[in-house]
Amino acid sequence: MLNKAKFMMATGLITLAMASTSLAADHVLKIAYQEDPKTVDVQMTQDFYTLPLNVYDRLVEAETSGPGQSQLTPGLAESWEVSQDGKTYIFHLRKGVLFHNGEELTADDVVYTFDRMLDPKTKALSTDILNFVDGATERLDGSATTVPGLQAVDKYTVKIVLKEPYAAFIALLASPGASIYNRKFTEPLGDKYGLTPETTNGTGPFKLTEYTLNDSQVLEANDKYFKGRPKLDQIVIRVVADAETLRLLFESGELDVFDIDYASSQLPYFAGSDQWKDQIRSGPRVGIYYYHINQALKPFDDVRVRKAFQMAINRQEILDKNFYGKGKLENGVMPRGLTCYAEAKPIEYNPQKAKALLAEAGYPNGVDIKLTQASNWSSRWSDMNQIIQAQIKEAGFNAEINTMDESAYFAARKAGTVDNYTQNWSADFNDPDNFFYTFFSKSGTSVRGYNNNDEQVFAALDKARSMTNPEERCALYQKMTDRIVQDDAAWVPLFSLDHNYVVQPRVKNFVVPWNGWSDMSYYKMEVE
């Protein structure tokens, strides 16, 4: 039972916040975060993107174009060209775009932004989006003070030169980490940038005007936004950690949007409510739940054991029990909605065939294995491990669940000695490289503890990164799906989920974001 005083305090705080702003703003959207993002410097976070997606813009934007789908559209760059060899990108900036402090966007700001990210003094977290830029490695390791691949050709033209072709580069530039800063404003602030409204400056549709740590943030419409003023006057974001409090705040009208991700157990309640069932907005997330397999550890060094593990897991039962069936079984590396996605060959659930494969591999009486989880992970992972532990016993897998400190888990994963674990991955950018290279490249399979040392896969994934023909590139990824999942049995793809929200009737034009984050741009949204 929720503490009444706690609820009254939470609702009272929001009401006070709204009272302080309602005189100046008629169209206010009220949303919530479960944690405080701590900074609006997107180069210093990889978890909290709501503020960056509304305060900043990027050269290119990834806009939701349909359920679980996106398209790349011009952002701060009104157009661009790519050289025939796929290495040189010329971006033509829009003229007259203003930062919130009144400074006009120039090519120098773009070069500064990316150089700041690569400057080792910044200690930025998303430098991998610039890995392919000529000179990026040297700037990042401190052996150079400039980046030859970043050039301001003139006031409104940016030239970016890559060391080698990278087909996903434009998609990467649409990720939140590629948000553009103003040199004149940002440079003098150093590591103080983005900690307060006074130290934050973007070109985006909303300006940060209030920031109370661990309590709230307020965004106000940018009247001079280059795409046109937002329909919303303000966005009030509250920090509310407790899931039940979030639901009660929503039902009392103190919040306009309830993200079911913050309280998945509430989905049956809303779906069964006459008041709310028609206010549920749902869309597929471009992400995948999976079970990792470490081929360096016995018995998983034998492909027959890996295939048996795949067939011993009843994935539909997990989807139904833990996620109310709101998703779709996945059989490959690419989830639905991702560029190049195609239906993969289904993985059969067959405990008896799995048992026969174990016997064929030399384990007629079953085999002992470990399933790993970190102690501070949410209960969803332990719940899944317990279900899988029970499921695979029928096939002869005697599983022990090993709970370890998260730092020890990451150390073991990096060293390639971690036992099998379940996790999920959502698209950072809409390209197959974000999934294939992350898990099954020579570096990815090593640092994530898969040890799927398939030279044919390594060569294909390296080749795919530089291919300029989209159809041929997609065909190669689809071929590698079969090799990785069917031939190598390198992991167990589980399912992709739907992302569900409940919105107040006053909220209009709500679109579930394609990528599966809870973070989104609110530029096109309206409230009555």
Side-chain angles (χ1 to χ4, degrees):
M1 187 76 178
L2 181 68
N3 182 288
K4 184 177 180 181
K6 180 180 178 183
F7 174 63
M8 292 300 290
M9 180 175 69
T11 54
L13 283 171
I14 292 183
T15 304
L16 285 173
M18 292 304 302
S20 68
T21 57
S22 59
L23 291 177
D26 296 322
H27 302 287
V28 180
L29 182 76
K30 299 162 288 184
I31 62 175
Y33 250 167
Q34 286 193 305
E35 295 180 62
D36 192 296
K38 300 293 191 295
T39 181
V40 198
D41 186 350
V42 73
Q43 295 183 7
M44 302 305 294
T45 183
Q46 292 177 313
D47 296 312
F48 302 101
Y49 291 145
T50 292
L51 292 176
L53 286 171
N54 290 282
V55 171
Y56 306 112
D57 293 292
R58 291 134 293 277
L59 293 176
V60 182
E61 301 292 350
E63 295 193 353
T64 302
S65 56
Q69 298 177 337
S70 71
Q71 62 181 9
L72 296 173
T73 61
L76 295 175
E78 60 184 0
S79 63
W80 56 86
E81 298 109 36
V82 185
S83 63
Q84 197 165 13
D85 65 4
K87 293 169 65 175
T88 301
Y89 291 72
I90 304 294
F91 295 93
H92 302 282
L93 302 184
R94 299 178 189 272
K95 298 177 182 178
V97 175
L98 299 179
F99 285 93
H100 298 157
N101 68 337
E103 291 288 328
E104 186 186 12
L105 169 75
T106 68
D108 179 66
D109 293 313
V110 177
V111 171
Y112 164 74
T113 297
F114 295 145
D115 182 74
R116 179 185 188 265
M117 187 183 298
L118 294 169
D119 186 340
K121 291 184 296 185
T122 304
K123 299 179 181 178
L125 300 179
S126 300
T127 58
D128 55 339
I129 69 175
L130 299 175
N131 278 352
F132 279 80
V133 174
D134 183 30
T137 301
E138 293 78 8
R139 179 68 166 123
L140 193 58
D141 67 21
S143 61
T145 57
T146 58
V147 184
L150 298 174
Q151 302 172 31
V153 177
D154 57 39
K155 188 175 182 180
Y156 301 109
T157 309
V158 177
K159 180 179 181 180
I160 301 180
V161 181
L162 307 186
K163 292 175 287 189
E164 54 192 86
Y166 181 46
F169 186 62
I170 291 292
L172 267 181
L173 291 184
S175 61
S179 298
I180 302 302
Y181 294 177
N182 174 239
R183 179 196 289 270
K184 184 177 179 180
F185 182 93
T186 308
E187 197 167 37
L189 291 169
D191 60 6
K192 302 295 190 296
Y193 178 80
L195 298 180
T196 64
E198 295 75 24
T199 59
T200 301
N201 183 32
T203 59
F206 297 94
K207 303 177 183 180
L208 181 68
T209 56
E210 296 180 35
Y211 196 142
T212 305
L213 194 65
N214 296 320
D215 180 77
S216 62
Q217 302 103 46
V218 177
L219 299 174
E220 291 190 2
N222 177 7
D223 293 332
K224 298 181 180 179
Y225 188 50
F226 70 92
K227 292 181 182 179
R229 187 190 189 280
K231 298 290 180 65
L232 296 173
D233 294 324
Q234 285 187 339
I235 303 173
V236 176
I237 309 171
R238 294 294 306 177
V239 179
V240 184
D242 181 75
E244 190 177 355
T245 303
L246 278 170
R247 180 178 67 81
L248 292 172
L249 289 171
F250 175 78
E251 289 204 275
S252 68
E254 297 291 342
L255 291 176
D256 292 313
V257 178
F258 182 79
D259 185 350
I260 296 291
D261 265 21
Y262 293 159
S264 57
S265 63
Q266 301 297 321
L267 182 57
Y269 167 78
F270 284 110
S273 166
D274 290 338
Q275 181 181 1
W276 298 114
K277 63 184 180 182
D278 293 333
Q279 293 304 119
I280 296 175
R281 304 291 180 263
S282 181
R285 62 174 71 241
V286 183
I288 191 168
Y289 277 69
Y290 61 88
Y291 220 104
H292 155 277
I293 297 175
N294 189 346
Q295 296 180 31
L297 302 180
K298 286 186 176 298
F300 293 102
D301 57 338
D302 190 318
V303 69
R304 292 169 295 186
V305 176
R306 300 196 297 273
K307 285 179 178 289
F309 190 61
Q310 287 181 332
M311 288 191 290
I313 297 176
N314 187 338
R315 300 173 297 152
Q316 187 66 51
E317 182 182 39
I318 301 169
L319 180 60
D320 291 341
K321 280 187 174 180
N322 285 41
F323 302 99
Y324 308 102
K326 300 298 184 181
K328 178 182 180 295
L329 293 188
E330 297 289 357
N331 295 294
V333 178
M334 295 180 282
R336 54 183 171 156
L338 191 73
T339 297
C340 295
Y341 174 79
E343 292 282 352
K345 182 179 178 180
I347 296 172
E348 181 183 6
Y349 169 57
N350 193 324
Q352 294 309 310
K353 189 182 288 189
K355 193 170 187 176
L357 273 176
L358 279 186
E360 185 183 319
Y363 304 102
N365 300 315
V367 63
D368 296 336
I369 66 169
K370 289 183 178 180
L371 308 179
T372 295
Q373 62 195 34
S375 56
N376 64 332
W377 288 359
S378 77
S379 60
R380 87 170 66 170
W381 307 112
S382 58
D383 291 346
M384 287 175 65
N385 270 332
Q386 289 169 28
I387 291 175
I388 290 170
Q389 180 186 40
Q391 288 177 348
I392 62 180
K393 190 170 183 60
E394 184 180 352
F397 289 100
N398 304 310
E400 173 192 345
I401 297 176
N402 177 33
T403 302
M404 58 198 306
D405 179 79
E406 189 176 54
S407 60
Y409 157 79
F410 279 117
R413 196 180 79 171
K414 188 175 182 180
T417 60
V418 70
D419 288 293
N420 299 1
Y421 59 86
T422 183
Q423 262 297 336
N424 67 340
W425 183 266
S426 288
D428 296 310
F429 56 99
N430 194 352
D431 191 273
D433 186 72
N434 190 215
F435 288 78
F436 280 92
Y437 210 83
T438 297
F439 296 107
F440 299 111
S441 65
K442 190 168 187 175
S443 58
T445 197
S446 173
V447 300
R448 290 181 180 273
Y450 286 87
N451 297 304
N452 182 55
N453 297 315
D454 187 330
E455 293 295 336
Q456 183 175 328
V457 171
F458 295 161
L461 299 189
D462 284 337
K463 178 182 178 182
R465 296 189 116 187
S466 61
M467 293 176 72
T468 55
N469 184 302
E471 291 79 15
E472 292 177 2
R473 186 167 179 257
C474 287
L476 181 57
Y477 279 126
Q478 288 153 10
K479 181 180 178 182
M480 286 304 101
T481 292
D482 288 340
R483 184 168 181 89
I484 290 167
V485 181
Q486 297 293 332
D487 299 345
D488 293 343
W491 77 345
V492 187
L494 297 176
F495 37 75
S496 58
L497 296 182
D498 297 335
H499 200 163
N500 300 286
Y501 297 81
V502 193
V503 300
Q504 297 286 354
R506 66 192 293 267
V507 176
K508 307 301 178 185
N509 298 333
F510 185 90
V511 177
V512 176
W514 66 273
N515 47 40
W517 302 326
S518 294
D519 314 290
M520 68 185 82
S521 168
Y522 290 94
Y523 172 60
K524 295 181 179 180
M525 208 166 296
E526 300 178 46
V527 291
E528 290 181 339

Short mmCIF file of all heavy atoms in Angstrom, two decimals, residues 67-111:
data_model
loop_
_atom_site.label_atom_id
_atom_site.label_comp_id
_atom_site.label_asym_id
_atom_site.label_seq_id
_atom_site.Cartn_x
_atom_site.Cartn_y
_atom_site.Cartn_z
N PRO A 67 5.31 2.32 -37.28
CA PRO A 67 5.54 1.48 -36.11
C PRO A 67 6.90 0.76 -36.16
O PRO A 67 7.14 -0.07 -37.03
CB PRO A 67 4.38 0.47 -36.18
CG PRO A 67 3.32 1.17 -36.96
CD PRO A 67 4.05 1.99 -37.97
N GLY A 68 7.79 1.15 -35.24
CA GLY A 68 9.10 0.53 -35.18
C GLY A 68 10.00 0.85 -36.35
O GLY A 68 10.99 0.17 -36.59
N GLN A 69 9.69 1.91 -37.08
CA GLN A 69 10.47 2.24 -38.27
C GLN A 69 10.91 3.70 -38.21
O GLN A 69 10.24 4.54 -37.60
CB GLN A 69 9.66 2.00 -39.54
CG GLN A 69 9.25 0.55 -39.73
CD GLN A 69 8.39 0.35 -40.96
OE1 GLN A 69 7.75 1.28 -41.45
NE2 GLN A 69 8.36 -0.87 -41.47
N SER A 70 12.04 4.00 -38.86
CA SER A 70 12.53 5.38 -38.89
C SER A 70 13.07 5.70 -40.26
O SER A 70 13.35 4.82 -41.08
CB SER A 70 13.64 5.57 -37.84
OG SER A 70 14.82 4.90 -38.25
N GLN A 71 13.21 6.99 -40.51
CA GLN A 71 13.86 7.45 -41.72
C GLN A 71 14.80 8.59 -41.37
O GLN A 71 14.56 9.35 -40.43
CB GLN A 71 12.85 7.91 -42.77
CG GLN A 71 11.99 9.09 -42.35
CD GLN A 71 10.98 9.48 -43.41
OE1 GLN A 71 10.80 8.77 -44.40
NE2 GLN A 71 10.31 10.61 -43.22
N LEU A 72 15.90 8.68 -42.11
CA LEU A 72 16.87 9.75 -41.90
C LEU A 72 16.42 10.97 -42.67
O LEU A 72 16.13 10.89 -43.88
CB LEU A 72 18.26 9.30 -42.37
CG LEU A 72 18.85 8.12 -41.58
CD1 LEU A 72 20.16 7.65 -42.22
CD2 LEU A 72 19.09 8.53 -40.13
N THR A 73 16.33 12.12 -41.98
CA THR A 73 15.86 13.35 -42.60
C THR A 73 16.86 14.47 -42.33
O THR A 73 17.62 14.42 -41.36
CB THR A 73 14.49 13.76 -42.03
OG1 THR A 73 14.61 13.98 -40.62
CG2 THR A 73 13.46 12.67 -42.27
N PRO A 74 16.87 15.50 -43.17
CA PRO A 74 17.78 16.63 -42.92
C PRO A 74 17.49 17.29 -41.58
O PRO A 74 16.34 17.45 -41.18
CB PRO A 74 17.47 17.58 -44.08
CG PRO A 74 16.93 16.70 -45.17
CD PRO A 74 16.15 15.64 -44.45
N GLY A 75 18.55 17.65 -40.87
CA GLY A 75 18.43 18.35 -39.60
C GLY A 75 19.08 19.71 -39.74
O GLY A 75 18.61 20.56 -40.50
N LEU A 76 20.17 19.93 -39.01
CA LEU A 76 20.91 21.18 -39.16
C LEU A 76 21.57 21.26 -40.53
O LEU A 76 21.86 22.35 -41.03
CB LEU A 76 21.96 21.30 -38.05
CG LEU A 76 21.39 21.42 -36.63
CD1 LEU A 76 22.50 21.40 -35.61
CD2 LEU A 76 20.53 22.66 -36.49
N ALA A 77 21.84 20.11 -41.11
CA ALA A 77 22.32 20.08 -42.49
C ALA A 77 21.11 19.94 -43.41
O ALA A 77 20.33 19.00 -43.27
CB ALA A 77 23.27 18.89 -42.70
N GLU A 78 20.95 20.88 -44.33
CA GLU A 78 19.79 20.81 -45.23
C GLU A 78 20.02 19.81 -46.35
O GLU A 78 19.08 19.32 -46.97
CB GLU A 78 19.46 22.19 -45.80
CG GLU A 78 20.56 22.84 -46.61
CD GLU A 78 20.18 24.24 -47.06
OE1 GLU A 78 19.05 24.68 -46.72
OE2 GLU A 78 21.00 24.91 -47.72
N SER A 79 21.32 19.48 -46.60
CA SER A 79 21.64 18.48 -47.61
C SER A 79 23.08 18.01 -47.39
O SER A 79 23.84 18.63 -46.65
CB SER A 79 21.48 19.04 -49.03
OG SER A 79 22.40 20.11 -49.25
N TRP A 80 23.43 16.91 -48.05
CA TRP A 80 24.80 16.41 -47.96
C TRP A 80 25.11 15.56 -49.19
O TRP A 80 24.22 15.09 -49.88
CB TRP A 80 25.02 15.60 -46.68
CG TRP A 80 24.09 14.44 -46.49
CD1 TRP A 80 24.20 13.15 -46.96
CD2 TRP A 80 22.84 14.48 -45.78
NE1 TRP A 80 23.13 12.41 -46.59
CE2 TRP A 80 22.28 13.17 -45.86
CE3 TRP A 80 22.15 15.47 -45.06
CZ2 TRP A 80 21.06 12.85 -45.26
CZ3 TRP A 80 20.93 15.15 -44.48
CH2 TRP A 80 20.40 13.85 -44.58
N GLU A 81 26.40 15.42 -49.44
CA GLU A 81 26.86 14.55 -50.53
C GLU A 81 27.94 13.62 -49.99
O GLU A 81 28.67 13.97 -49.08
CB GLU A 81 27.47 15.36 -51.68
CG GLU A 81 26.51 16.32 -52.35
CD GLU A 81 26.83 17.77 -52.03
OE1 GLU A 81 28.02 18.11 -51.91
OE2 GLU A 81 25.88 18.55 -51.88
N VAL A 82 27.99 12.44 -50.58
CA VAL A 82 29.00 11.45 -50.22
C VAL A 82 29.81 11.12 -51.46
O VAL A 82 29.25 10.90 -52.54
CB VAL A 82 28.34 10.16 -49.67
CG1 VAL A 82 29.41 9.18 -49.18
CG2 VAL A 82 27.36 10.49 -48.56
N SER A 83 31.12 11.11 -51.33
CA SER A 83 31.99 10.83 -52.47
C SER A 83 31.79 9.40 -52.95
O SER A 83 31.29 8.54 -52.22
CB SER A 83 33.46 11.05 -52.09
OG SER A 83 33.84 10.15 -51.07
N GLN A 84 32.21 9.13 -54.18
CA GLN A 84 32.02 7.82 -54.78
C GLN A 84 32.72 6.72 -53.99
O GLN A 84 32.24 5.58 -53.92
CB GLN A 84 32.51 7.82 -56.23
CG GLN A 84 31.98 6.67 -57.05
CD GLN A 84 32.17 6.89 -58.54
OE1 GLN A 84 32.90 7.79 -58.96
NE2 GLN A 84 31.54 6.07 -59.36
N ASP A 85 33.86 7.06 -53.38
CA ASP A 85 34.58 6.05 -52.61
C ASP A 85 34.04 5.88 -51.20
O ASP A 85 34.53 5.06 -50.42
CB ASP A 85 36.09 6.35 -52.57
CG ASP A 85 36.41 7.65 -51.82
OD1 ASP A 85 35.49 8.29 -51.26
OD2 ASP A 85 37.60 8.03 -51.80
N GLY A 86 32.99 6.66 -50.85
CA GLY A 86 32.35 6.51 -49.56
C GLY A 86 33.14 7.06 -48.38
O GLY A 86 32.79 6.78 -47.23
N LYS A 87 34.14 7.89 -48.63
CA LYS A 87 35.00 8.36 -47.55
C LYS A 87 34.82 9.84 -47.22
O LYS A 87 35.15 10.28 -46.11
CB LYS A 87 36.47 8.08 -47.88
CG LYS A 87 36.81 6.60 -47.92
CD LYS A 87 38.19 6.34 -48.50
CE LYS A 87 39.30 6.90 -47.66
NZ LYS A 87 40.63 6.51 -48.20
N THR A 88 34.32 10.63 -48.14
CA THR A 88 34.21 12.08 -47.92
C THR A 88 32.74 12.50 -47.90
O THR A 88 31.98 12.20 -48.83
CB THR A 88 34.96 12.85 -49.01
OG1 THR A 88 36.35 12.47 -48.99
CG2 THR A 88 34.86 14.36 -48.76
N TYR A 89 32.38 13.21 -46.84
CA TYR A 89 31.00 13.69 -46.65
C TYR A 89 31.03 15.22 -46.62
O TYR A 89 31.78 15.81 -45.83
CB TYR A 89 30.41 13.16 -45.35
CG TYR A 89 30.15 11.68 -45.34
CD1 TYR A 89 31.21 10.77 -45.28
CD2 TYR A 89 28.85 11.18 -45.39
CE1 TYR A 89 30.97 9.39 -45.28
CE2 TYR A 89 28.61 9.81 -45.38
CZ TYR A 89 29.66 8.92 -45.33
OH TYR A 89 29.43 7.57 -45.33
N ILE A 90 30.21 15.84 -47.44
CA ILE A 90 30.07 17.30 -47.45
C ILE A 90 28.66 17.64 -46.95
O ILE A 90 27.66 17.23 -47.54
CB ILE A 90 30.27 17.89 -48.86
CG1 ILE A 90 31.63 17.48 -49.44
CG2 ILE A 90 30.12 19.41 -48.81
CD1 ILE A 90 32.82 18.06 -48.69
N PHE A 91 28.58 18.40 -45.85
CA PHE A 91 27.30 18.79 -45.26
C PHE A 91 27.07 20.28 -45.48
O PHE A 91 27.95 21.10 -45.16
CB PHE A 91 27.28 18.49 -43.76
CG PHE A 91 27.35 17.03 -43.44
CD1 PHE A 91 28.58 16.41 -43.21
CD2 PHE A 91 26.20 16.26 -43.38
CE1 PHE A 91 28.66 15.06 -42.92
CE2 PHE A 91 26.27 14.90 -43.09
CZ PHE A 91 27.50 14.30 -42.86
N HIS A 92 25.91 20.63 -45.99
CA HIS A 92 25.55 22.03 -46.23
C HIS A 92 24.57 22.45 -45.13
O HIS A 92 23.44 21.97 -45.07
CB HIS A 92 24.91 22.18 -47.61
CG HIS A 92 25.80 21.72 -48.73
ND1 HIS A 92 26.86 22.48 -49.21
CD2 HIS A 92 25.81 20.55 -49.43
CE1 HIS A 92 27.47 21.82 -50.18
NE2 HIS A 92 26.86 20.64 -50.33
N LEU A 93 25.01 23.34 -44.26
CA LEU A 93 24.21 23.75 -43.12
C LEU A 93 23.11 24.73 -43.52
O LEU A 93 23.26 25.51 -44.47
CB LEU A 93 25.10 24.42 -42.06
CG LEU A 93 26.27 23.60 -41.51
CD1 LEU A 93 26.97 24.39 -40.42
CD2 LEU A 93 25.79 22.26 -40.97
N ARG A 94 22.01 24.68 -42.77
CA ARG A 94 20.96 25.68 -42.95
C ARG A 94 21.50 27.04 -42.49
O ARG A 94 22.20 27.12 -41.48
CB ARG A 94 19.74 25.32 -42.12
CG ARG A 94 19.11 23.99 -42.49
CD ARG A 94 17.93 23.70 -41.57
NE ARG A 94 17.45 22.35 -41.76
CZ ARG A 94 16.54 21.97 -42.66
NH1 ARG A 94 16.02 22.91 -43.47
NH2 ARG A 94 16.14 20.74 -42.76
N LYS A 95 21.14 28.07 -43.17
CA LYS A 95 21.54 29.42 -42.78
C LYS A 95 20.49 30.02 -41.85
O LYS A 95 19.31 29.78 -41.99
CB LYS A 95 21.73 30.29 -44.02
CG LYS A 95 22.83 29.80 -44.95
CD LYS A 95 22.94 30.65 -46.20
CE LYS A 95 24.03 30.11 -47.13
NZ LYS A 95 24.14 30.90 -48.39
N GLY A 96 20.96 30.79 -40.89
CA GLY A 96 20.06 31.50 -40.00
C GLY A 96 19.57 30.69 -38.81
O GLY A 96 18.71 31.16 -38.06
N VAL A 97 20.11 29.49 -38.58
CA VAL A 97 19.73 28.70 -37.40
C VAL A 97 20.39 29.33 -36.18
O VAL A 97 21.61 29.56 -36.15
CB VAL A 97 20.18 27.24 -37.55
CG1 VAL A 97 19.90 26.47 -36.26
CG2 VAL A 97 19.46 26.58 -38.73
N LEU A 98 19.59 29.59 -35.15
CA LEU A 98 20.11 30.26 -33.96
C LEU A 98 20.16 29.32 -32.76
O LEU A 98 19.24 28.53 -32.51
CB LEU A 98 19.23 31.45 -33.60
CG LEU A 98 19.10 32.56 -34.64
CD1 LEU A 98 18.16 33.65 -34.11
CD2 LEU A 98 20.46 33.13 -35.02
N PHE A 99 21.26 29.41 -32.01
CA PHE A 99 21.33 28.77 -30.71
C PHE A 99 20.44 29.56 -29.74
O PHE A 99 20.05 30.71 -30.03
CB PHE A 99 22.77 28.74 -30.20
CG PHE A 99 23.62 27.70 -30.88
CD1 PHE A 99 24.38 28.02 -32.01
CD2 PHE A 99 23.67 26.39 -30.40
CE1 PHE A 99 25.16 27.07 -32.64
CE2 PHE A 99 24.46 25.44 -31.02
CZ PHE A 99 25.21 25.77 -32.14
N HIS A 100 20.15 28.98 -28.62
CA HIS A 100 19.27 29.63 -27.64
C HIS A 100 19.85 30.95 -27.13
O HIS A 100 19.10 31.82 -26.67
CB HIS A 100 18.99 28.69 -26.47
CG HIS A 100 18.29 27.44 -26.88
ND1 HIS A 100 18.32 26.27 -26.15
CD2 HIS A 100 17.51 27.16 -27.98
CE1 HIS A 100 17.62 25.33 -26.77
NE2 HIS A 100 17.12 25.85 -27.87
N ASN A 101 21.18 31.10 -27.19
CA ASN A 101 21.80 32.35 -26.74
C ASN A 101 21.87 33.39 -27.86
O ASN A 101 22.45 34.47 -27.68
CB ASN A 101 23.20 32.09 -26.19
CG ASN A 101 24.19 31.66 -27.27
OD1 ASN A 101 23.78 31.16 -28.32
ND2 ASN A 101 25.48 31.83 -27.01
N GLY A 102 21.31 33.09 -29.04
CA GLY A 102 21.26 34.05 -30.13
C GLY A 102 22.38 33.91 -31.14
O GLY A 102 22.34 34.57 -32.19
N GLU A 103 23.39 33.08 -30.87
CA GLU A 103 24.48 32.88 -31.81
C GLU A 103 24.00 32.07 -33.01
O GLU A 103 23.24 31.11 -32.86
CB GLU A 103 25.64 32.13 -31.14
CG GLU A 103 26.37 32.93 -30.08
CD GLU A 103 27.24 34.03 -30.67
OE1 GLU A 103 27.76 33.84 -31.79
OE2 GLU A 103 27.39 35.07 -30.01
N GLU A 104 24.47 32.41 -34.20
CA GLU A 104 24.09 31.65 -35.39
C GLU A 104 24.97 30.40 -35.53
O GLU A 104 26.17 30.43 -35.28
CB GLU A 104 24.24 32.51 -36.65
CG GLU A 104 23.73 31.79 -37.90
CD GLU A 104 23.98 32.55 -39.20
OE1 GLU A 104 24.74 33.53 -39.19
OE2 GLU A 104 23.41 32.13 -40.23
N LEU A 105 24.34 29.30 -35.92
CA LEU A 105 25.07 28.06 -36.18
C LEU A 105 26.01 28.24 -37.36
O LEU A 105 25.61 28.75 -38.41
CB LEU A 105 24.08 26.94 -36.49
CG LEU A 105 24.67 25.64 -37.03
CD1 LEU A 105 25.35 24.85 -35.92
CD2 LEU A 105 23.60 24.80 -37.72
N THR A 106 27.26 27.80 -37.20
CA THR A 106 28.23 27.82 -38.29
C THR A 106 28.95 26.48 -38.37
O THR A 106 28.87 25.64 -37.45
CB THR A 106 29.28 28.92 -38.11
OG1 THR A 106 30.11 28.60 -36.97
CG2 THR A 106 28.63 30.29 -37.90
N ALA A 107 29.69 26.30 -39.44
CA ALA A 107 30.47 25.07 -39.62
C ALA A 107 31.50 24.90 -38.52
O ALA A 107 31.82 23.78 -38.12
CB ALA A 107 31.16 25.09 -40.99
N ASP A 108 32.01 26.01 -38.01
CA ASP A 108 32.99 25.94 -36.92
C ASP A 108 32.39 25.30 -35.67
O ASP A 108 33.09 24.58 -34.95
CB ASP A 108 33.51 27.34 -36.60
CG ASP A 108 34.50 27.33 -35.45
OD1 ASP A 108 35.60 26.75 -35.62
OD2 ASP A 108 34.17 27.86 -34.37
N ASP A 109 31.10 25.53 -35.42
CA ASP A 109 30.44 24.91 -34.26
C ASP A 109 30.41 23.39 -34.41
O ASP A 109 30.60 22.65 -33.43
CB ASP A 109 29.01 25.44 -34.11
CG ASP A 109 28.97 26.91 -33.74
OD1 ASP A 109 29.70 27.30 -32.82
OD2 ASP A 109 28.21 27.66 -34.37
N VAL A 110 30.16 22.92 -35.62
CA VAL A 110 30.10 21.47 -35.86
C VAL A 110 31.48 20.85 -35.64
O VAL A 110 31.63 19.83 -34.95
CB VAL A 110 29.60 21.17 -37.29
CG1 VAL A 110 29.62 19.67 -37.56
CG2 VAL A 110 28.20 21.75 -37.49
N VAL A 111 32.50 21.48 -36.21
CA VAL A 111 33.87 20.97 -36.04
C VAL A 111 34.25 21.00 -34.56
O VAL A 111 34.84 20.04 -34.03
CB VAL A 111 34.86 21.80 -36.88
CG1 VAL A 111 36.31 21.43 -36.54
CG2 VAL A 111 34.59 21.59 -38.36
#
